Amino acid sequence: MPNITLPDGSTKELADGAPIGDAMPGDAICARVDGELVDLSWPVDHDVAAQPVTAGEPDGLHVLRHSTAHVMARAVCDLWPGAKYAIGPPIEDGFYYDFDLPSSLTPEDLEKIEARMREIAAAGQPFVREELDRARALERFADQPYKREIIETAEASEGALGDRFSVYRNDGWADLCLGPHVPSTDRLGVFKLLSLAGAYWRGDEKRPQLQRIYGTAWASQDELEAYLHRLEEAERRDHRKLGRQLDLYSFPEELGPGLAVWHPRGGAFRRQLEDYVRETHVGRGYDLVVTPHVARSVLWETSGHLAKYRENMYPAMRDEDVEYFVKPMNCPFHVLIYKSQTRSYRDLPMRLSEIGSCYRYERPGALHGLLRVRGPTIDDAHIMCRADQLVEEIIGVFDLTLELHRTFGFTEPVVELSLKPGEAIGDEEMWAKATEALRAALVRSGLEYREAEGEGAFYGPKVDFHFRDAIGRLWQLTTVQCDFALPERFDMEYMGEDNQRHRPVMIHRAILGSIERFTGVLVEHYAGAFPLWLAPEQVRFVPVADRHAEHAAALAARLKARGLRAGVDDSRETVPKKIRAAQLMRIPYTLVVGDREIEAGTAAVRDRAGHEVRGVPLDPFVEAIAQEAASRSLEGVNVDALKASTGSG
Ligand SMILES: [Zn+2]
Ligand SMILES: [Zn+2]
């Protein structure tokens, strides 16, 4: 009789072939046996070490969501007989399933489906696992073309085990699946269907378009509610909506998908951001360079982009028999700057920095406001250095990364080292050296990190920094890549101290990622309420009556002379309406001026949260906010304290 060793070291004896669930506590929804997740019905036929898995832990949630996706698909098939179902994986925070249905689903349909799901859940249908050979699997899914295609193309991740296929059935409804699942539909926990979307079968625009239903599932009602609250918060912060409201940028149809124009307010914001990036780089020993947007195909052949990156590049432009491409990356241009002269060991490291506009031919379906565009502007730089300088240079990049992001309130990065992908240039030795350098720099920086197989760039391994925003979402922002391949391909050299020719190493790095994406992230992070230094309009004067407008304009001019961005609302609206308008634009300080204020040299100062202090003396206030902006502070001026300390009343 097999022995089960439990996590606390105790053992339990089960009859040969008994389900592992018999050795598990009641709150387990599946089990981990020798490291693998299995159903509670998994028959034990030898001694194993086993752990219960509950819905409260990540693996358990995954199983819960996956099982809920099955029940959703079954509900859809019950309500729309003849429905064709494609795939339905668990995803972060939930699950989806793709369907081929005769009619378009509506939000009301989601309620119907959810109601049917609750009936299925209440019925407590056990999930039953079967293994079929290919012929029987094809027969089982005779009326399901998508399942048949999966069986015919036999992808291991989709339920195929060599020539065997695992199928899970609850009641009469079956799905092709590797499992595991909760033991029965009454163990699903709390779920909710969220939204509808279109999706192509296999993500291929030439294949049928399917209807995707998104849902979420959690172990408890509290967790579900917390999640729905996070979704609402994300919706409120949506940078596409706020971008319109704050008049920052737009995406005119005439430009084509994924290309933005920046309005004056967006331009003011962007200038601050870019100036900060340039200033910080120059302070760290980078040189600023400028390169064009287009280059002949020969450049992209040498760099390897045409061989490995072509599908992300805009189609060629032809001039007689020469092909030109708009740049998807800045790297080869910086290589040419390096190669414009003979370099000596004393010239290294060479740090070339450019906020460079690139063009990437992203699939229209992948575009998302500023977060994924076709014209990203990369805060790019390439460091050419000697092999003995490599680790030190990478550490310098890590320091700069932490410094830049701290300014925006992004701290405590989640760091990942990504290793060689399937499509790659350069030999094994280069990859090994580059990976070692990144690892050494990570260790010496004392950064905690994890390693990800196969996620590197085609020309080298990379380190990614992810940061959490104000509502806890993780964004991948910084990328640092170590590259021995491009120096080889471009035959880059320097004269060593030994008078011999040597090959430099190259570091590629973008700290914010792209200006566009980073802006989208910042808009959502701050919910449009930028810190003063980034705010397009920092101060707005609201004259109480027409006769105060001239005075307000003079004050605004004074602030502008001090390097601040100030505006005057001289519209015919009432004062409360003007204050409301300023708040909607997330203006950091709104200053109301009337007879009393003009006489006393003060203003009624209102911050974005609606806190108002009357009779604030203007000169010290202007000094204080000029200081707030110059120091790129995340904290507003304490106007109450300012008023008290100047003793003005
Ligand atoms: Zn499944
Ligand atoms: Zn690069």
Side-chain angles (χ1 to χ4, degrees):
M1 298 225 288
N3 263 310
I4 319 298
T5 308
L6 297 167
D8 62 3
S10 67
T11 60
K12 229 176 202 170
E13 205 176 50
L14 289 185
D16 200 25
I20 188 78
D22 286 0
M24 294 290 124
D27 62 346
I29 56 167
C30 62
R32 200 179 285 109
V33 171
D34 297 332
E36 296 278 324
L37 289 179
V38 299
D39 294 308
L40 292 180
S41 62
W42 188 80
V44 188
D45 60 1
H46 60 285
D47 291 354
V48 293
Q51 263 178 296
V53 175
T54 66
E57 61 186 279
D59 277 347
L61 259 185
H62 203 73
V63 168
L64 191 79
R65 287 168 181 160
H66 179 92
S67 306
T68 313
H70 274 245
V71 169
M72 176 171 79
R74 161 148 213 193
V76 169
C77 290
D78 286 352
L79 293 167
W80 287 271
K84 310 278 185 279
Y85 45 107
I87 53 160
I91 52 175
E92 194 182 357
D93 295 332
F95 59 87
Y96 69 78
Y97 215 114
D98 288 347
F99 301 96
D100 189 343
L101 297 169
S103 59
S104 287
L105 293 170
T106 64
E108 292 74 56
D109 290 331
L110 291 188
E111 283 169 37
K112 263 193 273 177
I113 298 165
E114 215 178 275
R116 178 66 191 134
M117 287 170 73
R118 297 202 191 284
E119 288 170 11
I120 298 170
Q125 300 165 357
F127 278 95
V128 180
R129 183 176 205 275
E130 291 172 88
E131 267 185 38
L132 307 177
D133 61 24
R134 190 178 297 258
R136 289 204 40 225
L138 285 171
E139 199 179 301
R140 169 65 61 86
F141 294 101
D143 58 349
Q144 292 296 331
Y146 301 101
K147 297 294 169 190
R148 288 176 61 93
E149 184 176 329
I150 292 169
I151 296 165
E152 276 155 2
T153 54
E155 300 234 357
S157 61
E158 292 170 314
L161 310 154
D163 59 346
R164 311 278 301 162
F165 293 83
S166 78
V167 169
Y168 277 84
R169 197 159 50 71
N170 54 304
D171 204 16
W173 188 88
D175 200 354
L176 193 64
C177 174
L178 284 172
H181 296 94
V182 297
S184 141
T185 56
D186 53 5
R187 298 291 304 276
L188 282 189
V190 289
F191 54 84
K192 186 169 172 56
L193 300 189
L194 298 174
S195 58
L196 293 162
Y200 291 101
W201 169 236
R202 302 279 206 202
D204 181 347
E205 281 133 71
K206 295 180 196 81
R207 308 296 307 271
Q209 193 175 21
L210 306 171
Q211 300 189 63
R212 175 170 296 178
I213 305 177
Y214 284 102
T216 189
W218 297 86
S220 72
Q221 189 66 31
D222 284 355
E223 285 164 289
L224 173 68
E225 272 162 27
Y227 171 67
L228 293 177
H229 177 73
R230 283 207 302 281
L231 275 190
E232 239 171 70
E233 217 11 64
E235 167 79 28
R236 189 177 76 79
R237 292 164 179 263
D238 189 320
H239 76 281
R240 293 166 297 181
K241 203 181 73 188
L242 281 172
R244 274 192 302 277
Q245 183 187 321
L246 305 180
D247 195 14
L248 297 173
Y249 40 76
S250 58
F251 296 84
E253 275 285 317
E254 293 87 334
L255 301 187
L259 296 168
V261 288
W262 294 66
H263 305 183
R265 286 173 185 278
F269 162 90
R270 183 166 169 158
R271 180 185 161 195
Q272 294 307 314
L273 185 61
E274 293 190 359
D275 282 355
Y276 172 54
V277 168
R278 288 200 185 92
E279 191 183 295
T280 314
H281 279 72
V282 169
R284 291 248 181 183
Y286 285 79
D287 292 310
L288 304 180
V289 297
V290 179
T291 65
H293 292 205
V294 184
R296 288 162 56 193
S297 56
V298 59
L299 182 74
W300 308 110
E301 273 154 25
T302 309
S303 68
H305 283 85
L306 282 180
K308 304 287 180 193
Y309 202 73
R310 177 89 190 235
E311 60 184 32
N312 296 303
M313 295 168 69
Y314 269 77
M317 286 174 273
R318 220 170 281 274
D319 178 22
E320 305 276 308
D321 48 2
V322 182
E323 278 189 338
Y324 289 84
F325 289 90
V326 289
K327 62 176 172 186
M329 293 185 196
N330 303 301
C331 343
F333 296 85
H334 294 185
V335 169
L336 297 184
I337 293 170
Y338 177 90
K339 287 189 55 159
S340 64
Q341 296 182 27
T342 306
R343 304 292 175 186
S344 107
Y345 67 97
R346 283 188 308 266
D347 298 330
L348 303 181
M350 200 167 156
R351 308 186 188 100
L352 304 181
S353 161
E354 174 178 22
I355 298 183
S357 300
C358 296
Y359 297 89
R360 294 182 187 165
Y361 202 63
E362 303 278 0
R363 284 186 302 112
L367 298 171
H368 181 84
L370 283 184
L371 295 179
R372 185 76 81 88
V373 294
R374 281 186 166 181
T377 311
I378 316 295
D379 63 315
D380 214 350
H382 294 92
I383 302 174
M384 290 44 149
C385 65
R386 306 190 306 258
D388 63 289
Q389 297 171 320
L390 183 56
V391 173
E392 211 53 56
E393 285 302 310
I394 300 170
I395 292 173
V397 173
F398 292 168
D399 284 349
L400 176 58
T401 298
L402 299 178
E403 179 193 338
L404 278 171
H405 286 296
R406 202 180 307 118
T407 303
F408 303 97
F410 295 136
T411 53
E412 293 172 41
V414 174
V415 185
E416 203 169 69
L417 170 61
S418 300
L419 308 174
K420 190 178 173 187
E423 282 282 290
I425 56 175
D427 60 35
E428 286 302 328
E429 196 201 328
M430 286 180 186
W431 277 88
K433 276 197 288 189
T435 308
E436 258 336 290
L438 290 172
R439 224 180 247 137
L442 282 166
V443 170
R444 277 189 41 200
S445 300
L447 290 161
E448 260 180 55
Y449 69 99
R450 69 172 200 95
E451 302 201 354
E453 293 293 336
E455 304 276 310
F458 73 82
Y459 46 83
K462 60 180 181 134
V463 171
D464 294 321
F465 286 67
H466 309 244
F467 291 88
R468 239 172 246 294
D469 71 7
I471 56 170
R473 292 173 302 179
L474 213 48
W475 300 93
Q476 187 202 313
L477 300 175
T478 302
T479 306
V480 186
Q481 290 159 345
C482 189
D483 177 11
F484 287 79
L486 277 193
E488 190 79 44
R489 296 178 79 97
F490 278 95
D491 196 22
M492 293 162 74
E493 288 183 335
Y494 68 88
M495 294 304 290
E497 209 169 355
D498 55 3
N499 264 325
Q500 302 292 308
R501 291 170 190 283
H502 296 270
R503 190 76 77 210
V505 193
M506 199 166 154
I507 300 167
H508 307 245
R509 30 111 304 166
I511 308 239
L512 306 184
S514 79
I515 298 293
E516 288 74 13
R517 183 159 181 280
F518 194 71
T519 298
V521 170
L522 284 189
V523 168
E524 300 202 357
H525 173 59
Y526 296 124
F530 299 122
L532 189 69
W533 71 279
L534 284 170
E537 184 179 345
Q538 298 168 312
V539 175
R540 182 175 290 183
F541 288 96
V542 170
V544 170
D546 279 353
R547 65 176 185 280
H548 308 123
E550 205 178 313
H551 179 73
L555 291 178
R558 228 170 91 197
L559 264 65
K560 283 182 196 162
R562 194 71 184 75
L564 293 160
R565 296 180 290 282
V568 178
D569 185 349
D570 54 8
S571 67
R572 290 289 164 96
E573 293 295 352
T574 60
V575 169
K577 273 201 174 154
K578 288 181 186 180
I579 288 174
R580 171 89 185 123
Q583 248 163 354
L584 282 176
M585 292 303 279
R586 311 278 199 273
I587 312 273
Y589 300 105
T590 304
L591 271 55
V592 180
V593 285
D595 290 331
R596 199 175 350 143
E597 286 80 15
I598 292 175
E599 195 176 318
T602 64
V605 177
R606 218 183 151 89
D607 67 17
R608 280 182 291 217
H611 180 62
E612 193 187 79
V613 184
R614 288 166 188 263
V616 178
L618 271 171
D619 289 339
F621 173 75
V622 172
E623 277 320 302
I625 63 168
Q627 175 55 30
E628 180 190 346
S631 63
R632 300 194 175 91
S633 168
L634 292 171
E635 304 286 328
V637 165
N638 184 337
V639 182
D640 290 287
L642 189 69
K643 185 182 170 186
S645 73
T646 54
S648 176

